[in-house]
Amino acid sequence: MLKFIKGNLENIDGVEIYPLISLLIFFFFFMGLFWWVFTAKKSHIKEVSNIPLNDDTINPNQIK
């Protein structure tokens, strides 16, 4: 299977730039994510972490 993909990609001019672009996108995305996590306010993190516990919806099975 890999030889079919590799054979087709060898015929495309400039294809060697795509893995580099993918690596840079991956790197900058996760560096931005790490920066956001380390600079986020603790109060915001605590508020967001409690959202799943604050379920105010009414379940039809609970109404009698």
Side-chain angles (χ1 to χ4, degrees):
M1 170 92 178
L2 185 60
K3 70 178 184 175
F4 295 118
I5 296 171
K6 187 177 177 183
N8 288 333
L9 291 177
E10 287 176 347
N11 297 331
I12 300 173
D13 292 330
V15 75
E16 62 274 356
I17 193 71
Y18 292 117
L20 182 60
I21 291 171
S22 299
L23 178 66
L24 289 175
I25 290 171
F26 174 82
F27 178 76
F28 286 122
F29 173 78
F30 281 102
M31 288 306 296
L33 189 64
F34 285 136
W35 176 79
W36 180 81
V37 167
F38 288 123
T39 60
K41 294 180 182 179
K42 300 295 180 190
S43 61
H44 176 70
I45 299 296
K46 186 171 269 192
E47 179 183 338
V48 173
S49 66
N50 287 328
I51 289 175
L53 302 175
N54 297 334
D55 189 16
D56 294 337
T57 59
I58 298 173
N59 189 352
N61 295 332
Q62 292 177 344
I63 301 173
K64 292 183 180 182

